[in-house]
Amino acid sequence: MDLFDVLSLLGGLALFLFGMTVMSSALEKRAGNGLKNILGSMTSSPWKGFLLGLGVTAIIQSSSATTVMVVGFVNSGVMALEQAVGVIMGANLGTSVTSWLLSTTGIESQNFWVQLLKPSSFTPVLALVGISLCMFSKTQRKKDTGVILLGFAVLMFGMETMSSSVSGLRENEGFIRLLTLFSNPFLGVLIGAAFTAVIQSSSASVGILQALTATGSIPYATAVPIIMGQNIGTCISAVISCVGAGKNAKRAAVIHLSFNVIATLILLPLWYLAESLFAWSIADQIATPLGIAVAHTVFKVIALAMLMPFSQKLVQLSRWIIKDSPGGDETSLLDERLLATPSVAIARCRTVTCNMASLSVSSLQKALTLLESYDSKLADEIREEEDKVDMYEDKLGSYLVKLSAQDMTESDSAVATELLHMIGDFERISDHAVNIMRSADEIHAKKLHFSGQARQELAILSSAIHEILDLTLESFGKDDLNSAVMVEPLEQVVDYLKDYVKKQHIARLQKGECTIEMGFILADLLTDIERVSDHCSNIAGCLLEMEHDDLDIHEYLRKVKGGSVKEFNDYYEYFRKKYAVAE
């Protein structure tokens, strides 16, 4: 092996790792909503969690990415530690898919159809299709598919290059002496773990081992301990990601690490015990890419069969290693580990925004009840809820800005923009709740009273606001466009009612039936109520415009108010009759 072979090996390794990274990232992006739907099926059942981890890892071709997501979910409180065990175990098996794809490099046959299965035969076609999709496709999904094909082609080309460059080592005495060191099982495990920890990908590490089999000098006795070590080394991503996380997130990383360490501690001695007792000839046979894939998968399957029944024991072990503190374990609303998977991060942002929306709507509705019956405890709750809503807006806004800097699909990018628009409206609704509460405070402290007619008018207006808030929350929380369509007509009715109440108050003021002081309070209330309905209109308009891939909310509202939207007039008349006042 001369200098040019070394350069070829380094170039092949670079292409291999680059192709692996590009393909994995593109698969995550291409999965998009599909990945969100799979993660939405999370369950406490270990077996269903196992299938979830298996499916996600098979999609994105990275057990490291899956386990980092699990750490993020556990840290966010979305996934319980008991749920995480099955997902982690499934991820361990799912990553073996890559080794089977890479094993095709070892195909040798003179048969035309068998030769077509060799990467050197089909990767040029994949590369041509991939570059064509990237250059000429107009849709982002097709472009992402093209990137996947290109990444896979580069990966396989790098694999072939590495195999070709190291093939000459079969006669190199120095290389053979080096391999004798790896025949020590503990050193083999250590080398496999260390190398995988450095490149943070067991799939890539196994692929490199498969490429080295081209030397014809690596027996299974040497390869098997390295494979076991590789499964330990892949845990480094989860371990690194849990730094600074809550205790349950750290426990999830410990479960991932302990699963592979325990499996290695049990299976490695059994491997050598079986070899000595039964004199297996397989240990001395020269490894092939296919054999490496088989050994890699068999190790994972046996490990799962042994440890799956003891999944709760792994949870207990993690709790023993990472002990509870007196203050308990805090969770993070939005974990930055999820930023690496934008589709999942977007789903989490929407869930947190739903919580924020429910809190804002609840706070405003509580404030309206204070106008009818004052309660100081309820007023304190409104203040506390407004602080929580402010916290939600701050965290969501910062997180969404960071998320927008990631490479996202068009649909995810649109949702991020949608959420940035709407969290401001939800935060303002809670601000108006505090304003209404303060008006109620003033009425209660000064022992003021509205006239009977004013109370009736405010009751009608409050009922309309309750409904518009419910419709807004339902349209956003359930993505219900039918409810969203009803918001703007009701907002126009609220505007009409506000103007009507204001005119009636002026008339009562002229007759001496109302005081100027109560007039100021009423004016503040009407302003807050009108603006709440405006924010509801903004949110519903945003949802409807997003459905048509257009975020020009003001243009939409202009069309609605101009009567060009069919449903508007019907709903407007319906709400006018429902909230009719005596004129």
Side-chain angles (χ1 to χ4, degrees):
M1 186 176 185
D2 57 19
L3 174 62
F4 297 104
D5 288 328
V6 173
L7 293 176
S8 180
L9 172 62
L10 294 176
L13 177 62
L15 289 174
F16 178 82
L17 295 176
F18 176 72
M20 179 71 74
T21 302
V22 169
M23 184 181 72
S24 180
S25 299
L27 281 166
E28 285 183 35
K29 188 176 178 182
R30 181 67 175 80
N33 290 329
L35 184 58
K36 286 189 285 188
N37 293 335
I38 292 174
L39 291 168
S41 64
M42 287 182 296
T43 171
S44 58
S45 166
W47 286 105
K48 290 183 179 179
F50 166 77
L51 294 175
L52 170 66
L54 178 64
V56 170
T57 306
I59 289 172
I60 64 177
Q61 289 290 291
S62 174
S63 62
S64 297
T66 304
T67 50
V68 168
M69 276 193 285
V70 168
V71 170
F73 277 126
V74 172
N75 197 49
S76 298
V78 179
M79 182 185 286
L81 195 59
E82 289 72 17
Q83 291 175 290
V85 183
V87 180
I88 290 169
M89 291 181 176
N92 264 297
L93 181 58
T95 192
S96 63
V97 173
T98 308
S99 64
W100 285 95
L101 292 174
L102 297 175
S103 68
T104 57
T105 57
I107 293 176
E108 294 182 5
S109 174
Q110 298 301 316
N111 184 282
F112 173 79
W113 299 107
V114 175
Q115 285 186 334
L116 285 178
L117 297 176
K118 286 182 66 65
S120 58
S121 301
F122 64 79
T123 49
V125 178
L126 293 182
L128 180 61
V129 174
I131 195 64
S132 298
L133 289 173
C134 288
M135 292 179 66
F136 304 115
S137 294
K138 295 182 179 179
T139 63
Q140 187 60 45
R141 291 178 67 83
K142 289 183 179 179
K143 288 181 183 291
D144 292 338
T145 302
V147 174
I148 293 170
L149 296 177
L150 278 174
F152 182 72
V154 171
L155 179 154
M156 297 306 286
F157 183 77
M159 182 78 172
E160 290 278 352
T161 303
M162 285 192 296
S163 299
S164 299
S165 62
V166 300
S167 60
L169 288 174
R170 68 177 69 234
E171 307 296 337
N172 189 298
E173 292 183 4
F175 179 73
I176 294 172
R177 283 197 300 271
L178 179 63
L179 288 179
T180 59
L181 296 176
F182 296 161
S183 60
N184 181 315
F186 299 105
L187 185 58
V189 170
L190 183 61
I191 291 297
F195 185 73
T196 307
V198 169
I199 64 176
Q200 295 191 33
S201 172
S202 63
S203 296
S205 181
V206 171
I208 292 169
L209 180 61
Q210 287 174 303
L212 287 173
T213 61
T215 63
S217 306
I218 301 179
Y220 286 106
T222 299
V224 169
I226 294 175
I227 290 171
M228 293 183 180
Q230 288 168 335
N231 283 279
I232 295 174
T234 193
C235 302
I236 191 65
S237 298
V239 172
I240 292 173
S241 75
C242 77
V243 174
K247 285 184 169 52
N248 274 338
K250 292 176 181 175
R251 288 168 182 154
V254 167
I255 289 171
H256 187 211
L257 179 61
S258 60
F259 174 85
N260 287 293
V261 169
I262 292 171
T264 299
L265 289 176
I266 294 174
L267 292 179
L268 187 61
L270 287 178
W271 161 261
Y272 283 100
L273 179 63
E275 182 186 346
S276 61
L277 289 178
F278 302 108
W280 283 355
S281 60
I282 188 174
D284 297 323
Q285 290 182 12
I286 300 302
T288 64
L290 179 60
I292 295 295
V294 171
H296 187 226
T297 304
V298 168
F299 169 75
K300 291 176 178 293
V301 170
I302 295 177
L304 283 168
M306 286 193 311
L307 297 178
M308 192 77 166
F310 301 98
S311 59
Q312 294 310 306
K313 296 296 182 183
L314 290 175
V315 174
Q316 292 174 15
L317 176 63
S318 71
R319 293 186 188 279
W320 179 77
I321 295 173
I322 308 293
K323 293 182 170 35
D324 283 316
S325 58
D329 184 36
E330 295 184 359
T331 58
S332 171
L333 284 173
L334 297 161
D335 198 289
E336 293 199 6
R337 294 160 189 80
L338 302 181
L339 291 174
T341 315
S343 61
V344 177
I346 282 290
R348 179 60 184 156
C349 284
R350 205 176 193 290
T351 300
V352 175
T353 305
C354 283
N355 296 339
M356 175 188 181
S358 298
L359 201 59
S360 297
V361 169
S362 171
S363 182
L364 197 288
Q365 291 177 334
K366 287 176 183 178
L368 290 173
T369 63
L370 290 179
L371 297 175
E372 302 169 5
S373 177
Y374 187 80
D375 184 340
S376 59
K377 290 183 179 179
L378 196 60
D380 291 337
E381 285 181 20
I382 293 169
R383 292 187 184 94
E384 291 174 4
E385 288 175 353
E386 199 269 340
D387 289 337
K388 288 181 181 178
V389 170
D390 285 346
M391 180 270 294
Y392 271 118
E393 186 199 26
D394 180 57
K395 289 186 178 295
L396 274 166
S398 300
Y399 193 83
L400 284 166
V401 169
K402 292 179 182 178
L403 184 56
S404 297
Q406 305 296 316
D407 184 19
M408 295 190 291
T409 62
E410 290 181 2
S411 60
D412 284 341
S413 180
V415 173
T417 305
E418 170 191 354
L419 293 177
L420 277 169
H421 275 77
M422 290 190 287
I423 59 174
D425 285 303
F426 283 124
E427 192 275 333
R428 290 298 296 150
I429 288 174
S430 72
D431 286 345
H432 290 300
V434 172
N435 292 343
I436 293 172
M437 178 269 296
R438 287 172 180 163
S439 295
D441 270 345
E442 185 178 355
I443 293 171
H444 175 73
K446 295 180 178 179
K447 300 186 182 331
L448 301 174
H449 299 281
F450 285 113
S451 66
Q453 186 180 357
R455 285 198 301 271
Q456 290 178 1
E457 293 164 354
L458 278 175
I460 294 172
L461 191 51
S462 293
S463 297
I465 287 296
H466 275 290
E467 181 163 3
I468 199 171
L469 288 167
D470 289 337
L471 286 172
T472 302
L473 187 59
E474 185 172 0
S475 63
F476 176 73
K478 298 180 180 178
D479 201 18
D480 184 353
L481 297 181
N482 291 328
S483 296
V485 168
M486 300 170 69
V487 170
E488 180 58 25
L490 183 51
E491 190 272 337
Q492 293 293 296
V493 171
V494 169
D495 285 350
Y496 163 77
L497 290 173
K498 183 214 67 167
D499 291 338
Y500 175 81
V501 173
K502 186 179 289 186
K503 289 177 182 177
Q504 290 296 99
H505 167 70
I506 293 172
R508 288 191 293 271
L509 194 60
Q510 291 172 342
K511 295 177 183 178
E513 297 174 359
C514 189
T515 65
I516 294 177
E517 187 173 19
M518 286 301 292
F520 287 138
I521 295 174
L522 180 62
D524 290 339
L525 285 173
L526 293 178
T527 298
D528 285 311
I529 287 172
E530 180 196 22
R531 288 178 180 171
V532 166
S533 69
D534 288 340
H535 291 300
C536 289
S537 174
N538 289 342
I539 294 165
C542 184
L543 290 171
L544 291 170
E545 284 297 283
M546 286 297 299
E547 181 68 11
H548 300 93
D549 299 321
D550 183 3
L551 202 60
D552 189 353
I553 300 171
H554 297 292
E555 176 63 19
Y556 166 76
L557 296 179
R558 185 190 64 77
K559 291 178 182 177
V560 165
K561 293 173 183 177
S564 61
V565 176
K566 182 181 177 182
E567 299 95 340
F568 177 81
N569 290 330
D570 292 338
Y571 281 127
Y572 178 78
E573 291 302 323
Y574 166 75
F575 287 124
R576 273 293 302 270
K577 291 177 182 178
K578 184 174 182 178
Y579 298 107
V581 288
E583 300 188 35

